[in-house]
Amino acid sequence: MIREIIKDQFLLCRKSSDATVDDLYIIDDLKDTMNAYQESCVGMAANMINELKRIIAVKENDDILVLINPVIIKTAGHYYETEEGCLCHEGTQKTKRYEKIKVQYHDDKFKMKIKTFSGLTAQIIQHEIDHCNGILI
Ligand SMILES: [Zn+2]
């Protein structure tokens, strides 16, 4: 089901809590909502659709990758300055991101995984993890 995108800064600044297997139903709504905004959206965190759980969805090629309870366990490469936009507010903002990140997470079947991401995918994951922590760029 396509859900409404939360734009209220007060609501978006709340921290999300860890997701459990009981929260997997959120994934479909997150994907549906992301697909509805596919022209302007490369990633989405569950709190953007008013679910305060640490679940993020990230566009990778033509697929949507779901990461549950993602934790960055290692960073590498440049720590560079970039500009990012967000569905939750107008315009773009300057921020700093790591070029490479190693992430531990559960996949959409709640299987534990560890994977290294780089480039744009790494950047999107860092943006969405910020959302889980109530941080808006
Ligand atoms: Zn955002």
Side-chain angles (χ1 to χ4, degrees):
M1 189 174 66
I2 298 169
R3 305 269 293 266
E4 195 190 331
I5 304 278
I6 302 287
K7 296 203 171 165
D8 185 311
Q9 307 281 307
F10 178 76
L11 294 178
L12 288 167
C13 287
R14 293 177 300 175
K15 267 193 179 180
S16 295
S17 56
D18 281 346
T20 68
V21 275
D22 296 331
D23 299 313
L24 294 180
Y25 71 93
I26 297 170
I27 292 171
D28 282 341
D29 285 0
L30 198 57
K31 282 185 171 176
D32 288 347
T33 310
M34 207 169 137
N35 280 325
Y37 289 90
Q38 57 178 317
E39 272 164 37
S40 55
C41 180
V42 288
M44 198 172 274
N47 70 331
M48 292 166 69
I49 58 167
N50 212 18
E51 298 284 357
L52 274 177
K53 297 290 172 179
R54 300 181 74 87
I55 302 175
I56 65 173
V58 175
K59 209 171 205 179
E60 200 186 31
N61 304 316
D62 282 334
D63 262 357
I64 294 177
L65 185 70
V66 174
L67 294 89
I68 299 169
N69 303 330
V71 178
I72 296 171
I73 52 175
K74 202 177 168 189
T75 60
H78 291 294
Y79 185 51
Y80 63 98
E81 190 169 77
T82 183
E83 265 186 48
E84 293 175 358
C86 181
L87 273 186
C88 298
H89 55 73
E90 304 283 319
T92 58
Q93 302 266 350
K94 276 192 180 152
T95 186
K96 287 189 105 176
R97 298 299 183 201
Y98 294 98
E99 194 180 342
K100 261 189 180 182
I101 51 171
K102 194 175 196 180
V103 186
Q104 179 183 297
Y105 62 98
H106 289 93
D107 70 6
D108 56 359
K109 310 234 167 14
F110 221 73
K111 246 182 91 178
M112 175 78 87
K113 296 213 165 154
I114 291 176
K115 199 173 163 184
T116 300
F117 299 92
S118 60
L120 183 61
T121 309
Q123 183 182 356
I124 302 165
I125 291 172
Q126 289 169 83
H127 179 105
E128 303 311 331
I129 290 179
D130 277 354
H131 273 296
C132 293
N133 292 326
I135 297 166
L136 289 170
I137 59 143

